[in-house]
Amino acid sequence: MMPCQVITSRKNEIVKAAAKLRDSSSFRREQNTFLAEGARLCADAADSGLLIRGVFYTEKAGEKYASYLERIFPKAEQVYQIAESVGELLSDTRQPQGVFCTAELPKRTSTEAGIGQNGCYLALEEIQDPSNLGAVLRTAEALGVSGVVLAGSCCDPYGAKALRAGMGAVFRLPLYFEEELASCACRLREQGFFTAAAVPAEDAVPITQISFPSAVLLAVGNEGAGLSEATIAACDARITIPMLGRAESLNAASSAAILMWEIMRTRGRLK
């Protein structure tokens, strides 16, 4: 193992900077770095090819999670063994594993620069709940979705709660960033994509009545307000999930999961 620095003080500047990365999305953007917590999540980050700036681990974690740390150490610029109290400061969980890493943020890509000519893409507009976002990304990866577009002021996928809920999906799933989803939907329509806006409306087309083509963009909106009128108007169709119960709508993560599953099924990807 490469030489490591021992940190015992919670006031250490390196530790304070790492804690700020956990708490501040603006600081993450400024430093082009994020903090990941958990042995498996940090190993996933290292395995994905991201530059690991530093790895932090407690003595107990070094024994318990040795197999994960062996995947991280060779790819880390710096290694720090930290006191348990320092691990508690860095942690965003009640029972921390004692393994953390700081990693370089992936380069932000737009749909214009990176999206393919075919595939099923999910677009999220103004999603504010990081746990919802992480859950959606985890489901999208599990179902084989081609990528996810984050539009408007979506919460940061590299924040602590989103990373934890996503279980490493953010490292394996292509992400695209757009300021306005409406203009993105218009552009993809011109490229031959079938664009669908998910809405909780009785006059929308039930998703079970649509056969989706090879190129699809599914738009899902904010937890409270849903999609913007501009985005809905920019899409080919308004679709909805048929429901027999008395609930008027589902939350964003549940809606996205059902819609993605049905789209992938009709395209013959799920059998």
Side-chain angles (χ1 to χ4, degrees):
M1 188 188 79
M2 64 186 299
C4 70
Q5 178 179 339
V6 177
I7 300 178
T8 58
S9 172
R10 293 162 65 107
K11 296 181 179 180
N12 180 282
E13 292 300 321
I14 296 171
V15 170
K16 288 165 64 176
K20 190 173 181 180
L21 288 173
R22 178 199 61 205
D23 296 332
S24 171
S25 59
S26 61
F27 189 64
R28 288 193 288 272
R29 290 192 298 271
E30 177 188 316
Q31 298 297 311
N32 197 37
T33 306
F34 67 94
L35 177 73
E37 176 179 358
R40 180 174 178 178
L41 191 63
C42 291
D44 283 348
D47 292 343
S48 73
L50 291 178
L51 173 62
I52 307 299
R53 298 194 184 281
V55 57
F56 305 79
Y57 71 100
T58 63
E59 184 177 0
K60 289 182 180 178
E63 298 172 359
K64 187 173 182 179
Y65 302 108
S67 61
Y68 287 104
L69 290 168
E70 286 171 1
R71 290 157 55 186
I72 308 168
F73 286 150
K75 300 177 182 179
E77 292 184 331
Q78 300 290 333
V79 176
Y80 306 98
Q81 183 174 316
I82 56 175
E84 293 289 336
S85 60
V86 174
E88 292 169 0
L89 174 67
L90 292 178
S91 179
D92 188 57
T93 64
R94 291 183 178 179
Q95 296 181 316
Q97 293 181 347
V99 178
F100 312 84
C101 74
T102 52
E104 185 176 78
L105 286 169
K107 184 179 179 181
R108 290 171 72 98
T109 305
S110 68
T111 55
E112 197 167 12
I115 205 165
Q117 296 300 309
N118 290 298
C120 174
Y121 293 86
L122 174 69
L124 302 174
E125 185 177 56
E126 306 285 346
I127 295 296
Q128 299 301 302
D129 186 320
S131 296
N132 265 349
L133 176 57
V136 170
L137 296 180
R138 183 180 180 184
T139 304
E141 188 209 4
L143 294 178
V145 168
S146 304
V148 175
V149 180
L150 302 180
S153 57
C154 278
C155 56
D156 188 355
Y158 297 97
K161 289 183 173 59
L163 284 171
R164 187 163 61 251
M167 295 289 288
V170 71
F171 305 136
R172 299 179 289 271
L173 185 68
L175 298 183
Y176 306 92
F177 297 85
E178 295 287 343
E179 290 187 10
E180 293 183 350
L181 184 52
S183 58
C184 171
C186 286
R187 187 174 64 252
L188 291 178
R189 281 182 71 181
E190 293 174 358
Q191 294 177 16
F193 274 76
F194 176 76
T195 55
V199 296
E202 292 184 1
D203 61 345
V205 180
I207 190 172
T208 50
Q209 295 181 14
I210 301 177
S211 293
F212 291 90
S214 59
V216 179
L217 178 76
L218 166 68
V220 174
N222 173 275
E223 292 89 348
L227 289 167
S228 66
E229 291 299 325
T231 295
I232 295 171
C235 290
D236 291 298
R238 296 159 66 248
I239 64 172
T240 194
I241 300 170
M243 293 189 291
L244 298 177
R246 299 174 64 182
E248 294 182 359
S249 64
L250 300 170
N251 70 24
S254 298
S255 296
I258 294 170
L259 294 165
M260 285 188 289
W261 188 91
E262 182 64 13
I263 291 173
M264 298 303 284
R265 185 190 67 80
T266 63
R267 295 172 72 246
R269 299 296 300 276
L270 296 172
K271 298 180 179 179

